[in-house]
């Protein structure tokens, strides 16, 4: 069986990290599926999904990592071509990846105790986002 739903988010951009574990768990709860996999996908070229311990220190460390390896300043060919100034956002999103799959058993995500599913918006402005959550199982 397959169940598909959406998670709507209003984001601030600039590397904002949002814990989306509760809405993903909610989609599983609303489905009739008890065991399977949940895939979260962002149809976006400037954001991504991963897991992290959702606490201030780890979040800021993760944000700083992207400042170090994909600096917002500097010359991006994307910016020269489109003038939207978010060349770094696209590269960061490509690096992180747009989707994540997590198994669930008896209706519960099999995440670790300190592990949350997070959405990271790298764009250089506030956005309205609509993520796809697809549940497959029985
Ligand atoms: Zn762009």
């Amino acid at each position: 069986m397959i169940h598909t739903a959406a998670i709507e988010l209003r984001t601030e951009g600039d590397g904002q990290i949002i814990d989306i574990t509760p809405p993903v768990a909610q989609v599983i709860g609303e489905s009739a599926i008890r065991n399977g996999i949940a895939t979260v996908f962002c149809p976006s070229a400037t954001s991504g999904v991963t897991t992290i311990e959702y606490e201030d220190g780890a979040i800021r460390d993760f944000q700083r990592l992207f400042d170090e390896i994909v600096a917002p300043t500097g010359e991006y060919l994307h910016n020269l071509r489109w003038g939207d100034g978010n060349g770094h956002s696209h590269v960061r999103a490509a690096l992180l990846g747009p989707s994540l799959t997590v198994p669930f058993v008896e209706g519960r995500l099999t995440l670790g105790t300190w592990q949350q599913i997070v959405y990271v918006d790298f764009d250089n402005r506030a956005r309205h986002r609509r993520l796809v959550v697809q549940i497959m199982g029985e």
Side-chain angles (χ1 to χ4, degrees):
M1 204 189 312
I2 297 175
H3 174 74
T4 307
I7 295 175
E8 308 257 354
L9 297 172
R10 296 221 170 260
T11 68
E12 296 164 6
D14 286 327
Q16 184 191 15
I17 300 177
I18 300 171
D19 180 4
I20 57 167
T21 312
V24 173
Q26 192 181 332
V27 171
I28 294 169
E30 286 166 0
S31 78
I33 304 168
R34 304 306 297 153
N35 297 281
I37 50 173
T39 299
V40 183
F41 176 74
C42 12
S44 144
T46 51
S47 64
V49 181
T50 188
T51 67
I52 197 167
E53 179 175 349
Y54 196 75
E55 63 86 19
D56 245 31
I59 284 167
R60 276 192 250 150
D61 291 338
F62 195 51
Q63 289 167 327
R64 192 190 61 213
L65 172 80
F66 281 98
D67 286 337
E68 288 171 2
I69 62 176
V70 189
T73 54
E75 193 170 277
Y76 290 89
L77 298 177
H78 177 82
N79 294 345
L80 295 177
R81 180 165 185 198
W82 299 101
D84 56 359
N86 68 353
H88 67 291
S89 315
H90 290 291
V91 175
R92 290 176 180 198
L95 200 55
L96 187 59
S99 74
L100 180 80
T101 297
V102 182
F104 61 96
V105 176
E106 299 304 331
R108 296 180 69 95
L109 288 162
T110 57
L111 293 166
T113 308
W114 308 108
Q115 182 183 28
Q116 279 83 41
I117 304 169
V118 292
Y119 176 70
V120 188
D121 199 328
F122 294 113
D123 213 346
N124 59 352
R125 61 189 175 91
R127 299 290 301 258
H128 173 236
R129 300 294 198 181
R130 189 180 167 89
L131 314 190
V132 178
V133 182
Q134 189 163 70
I135 312 292
M136 294 180 71
E138 55 184 20

